[in-house]
Amino acid sequence: MEVEAATLAALVPSWSSVLLLFSYLGYLAFAALVLPGKVVPGAVLPDGSRLRYPCNGLLALFLLLALMVTGAYMEWMSITVIADKGLELLSSTFIFSLFVSLVLYAAGSSSRSQSSSLKPHVTGNFIHDWWFGVQLNPHFMGVDLKFFLIRAGMMAWLLINLSVLAKSYLAGTVNISVILYQIFCAVYVIDYFYYEEFMTSTWDIIAERLGFMLVFGDLVFVPFTFSIQGWWLLKNEVELPKVAAAASFLVFVIGYRVFREANKQKYVFKKNPKADIWGKPPKVIGGKLLASGYWGISRHCNYLGDLILAFSFSLPCGASSVIPYFYPIYLFILLIWRERRDEARCSQKYKEVWVEYCKLVPWRIFPYVY
Ligand code: NDP
């Protein structure tokens, strides 16, 4: 009972957690506007327009890490502040995401814009419109909000992990499981920012409207639940045999390769449909769809790679509990659902070309299984 009361008390947002959250978001907005970076044109929208995305996330991340390390060294802040305020930050971010989604709903519904990115799609069902959003690409003071929120969530995941790692270090519980988990996630997040421009052609950016689902998903769900393994390892010591550590590493490398290469192949193909895939001219269907490389193995081999990667993030935690497996289980459900939605979208967009692609590449995600 006492533990439950303490947890509930820790969930009450404090002013310092609100300040921390706003400082973080303020820094990211400032960084997005002023830091140099490649400006990448987004997908062509139905009205022929294209948004432009400044991809300076990697620089923003490294600069923030440098500022935080300096702050901790100068004793202006504690290196474990994020982990120490974990629950307060969770509730503050949740309340903030509720607020943002309501503002997005109100501003979006009253917009008179007819452009593809801002035209409101209002069904009249408040829950539906608030949940899924009404505008495709709303922006604020020149910052594309969807791109910004995804960036905020991915970066926060790494910051939470590093703060938990610092706590582990101070508690003397750093072991091979902690090191592997931390390395795998850090590589994934840094890789995300290294290839941030690839994000401009993904489903979230090109097809999903910005409502509570994405705001909550990016700001709350990604950083606070994807880091569960780190928190779990703080409380549970795992003695990982060397062979299990090596197997986790191998699974990570395989997952990373499939995930990164599949996404890269599609991105390169969209830019130059004649570019070689695996050293050969690409197999193209109807001049529009790539059917070679990973895209000839299954129709969403990138999801397969991501699922293998997600599994590798949990393997260092061993098999004594299902809790560290939350992320791969969640991702499995999400990607199966998303693949169905993407399939419906592509089938409507590409019509008989999509039918031909499905005949040639019958597997949705897992070759010979699904
Ligand atoms: P994709 O990057 O696979 O984008 C799907 C779109 O790609 C389709 O709508 C279509 O759009 C185009 N496309 C599909 N097949 C082909 C083809 N054969 N040739 C050419 N174009 C094709 O999907 P997502 O945005 O969902 O995923 C991107 C990455 O992000 C994935 O690796 C996924 O695993 C990861 N992800 C991770 C999440 C997490 O929580 N960790 C959550 C969601 C995604 P078009 O109209 O442009 O042709």
Side-chain angles (χ1 to χ4, degrees), residues 188 201-204 206 222 226 259 263 266 269-270 288-291 295 299-300 302-303 306 327 330-331 334-335 338 342 345-346 349-350 354 357:
Y188 187 79
S201 65
T202 56
W203 163 273
D204 280 350
I206 60 179
V222 168
F226 289 13
F259 164 80
N263 283 316
K266 179 168 69 98
F269 171 75
K270 294 274 181 200
K288 291 171 182 162
L289 292 169
L290 175 63
W295 298 85
R299 300 201 294 274
H300 266 105
N302 54 347
Y303 288 0
D306 212 356
Y327 174 51
Y330 149 77
L331 196 67
L334 175 91
L335 293 183
R338 183 179 281 231
D342 192 43
R345 176 181 177 273
C346 289
K349 179 174 174 184
Y350 292 112
W354 189 257
Y357 179 45

Side-chain angles (χ1 to χ4, degrees), residues 112-307:
R112 290 172 190 275
S113 174
Q114 288 304 305
S115 69
S116 296
S117 54
L118 296 178
K119 185 177 171 177
H121 297 261
V122 183
T123 64
N125 177 337
F126 166 72
I127 299 290
H128 177 280
D129 294 344
W130 162 76
W131 180 270
F132 286 106
V134 289
Q135 290 177 307
L136 184 62
N137 296 109
H139 44 77
F140 182 64
M141 292 174 71
V143 175
D144 182 279
L145 290 178
K146 219 166 17 171
F147 199 64
F148 173 80
L149 292 173
I150 299 171
R151 178 183 282 192
M154 290 297 287
M155 219 178 269
W157 176 16
L158 180 63
L159 296 180
I160 291 176
N161 273 358
L162 292 179
S163 189
V164 171
L165 174 64
K167 240 176 144 48
S168 270
Y169 176 74
L170 294 176
T173 58
V174 175
N175 58 18
I176 187 72
S177 295
V178 172
I179 293 170
L180 284 178
Y181 167 71
Q182 288 286 344
I183 291 178
F184 294 170
C185 291
V187 169
Y188 187 79
V189 175
I190 292 171
D191 170 90
Y192 171 88
F193 287 111
Y194 186 80
Y195 291 106
E196 197 177 23
E197 66 179 276
F198 289 11
M199 197 59 210
T200 57
S201 65
T202 56
W203 163 273
D204 280 350
I205 296 288
I206 60 179
E208 203 82 88
R209 292 197 277 273
L210 186 57
F212 180 74
M213 185 177 78
L214 269 196
V215 177
F216 170 81
D218 292 336
L219 281 186
V220 183
F221 201 82
V222 168
F224 291 96
T225 69
F226 289 13
S227 54
I228 282 177
Q229 296 94 317
W231 294 103
W232 189 86
L233 285 169
L234 200 56
K235 299 257 179 274
N236 301 273
E237 206 166 324
V238 176
E239 278 183 32
L240 201 66
K242 278 193 182 130
V243 62
S248 306
F249 189 73
L250 187 67
V251 174
F252 170 77
V253 171
I254 295 170
Y256 177 75
R257 189 159 176 84
V258 177
F259 164 80
R260 178 44 60 222
E261 287 300 308
N263 283 316
K264 203 177 207 171
Q265 283 177 353
K266 179 168 69 98
Y267 187 76
V268 168
F269 171 75
K270 294 274 181 200
K271 288 219 141 181
N272 173 14
K274 290 192 178 136
D276 278 2
I277 300 287
W278 284 344
K280 281 190 267 172
K283 193 184 279 178
V284 182
I285 303 185
K288 291 171 182 162
L289 292 169
L290 175 63
S292 55
Y294 286 105
W295 298 85
I297 295 175
S298 75
R299 300 201 294 274
H300 266 105
C301 223
N302 54 347
Y303 288 0
L304 174 64
D306 212 356
L307 286 168

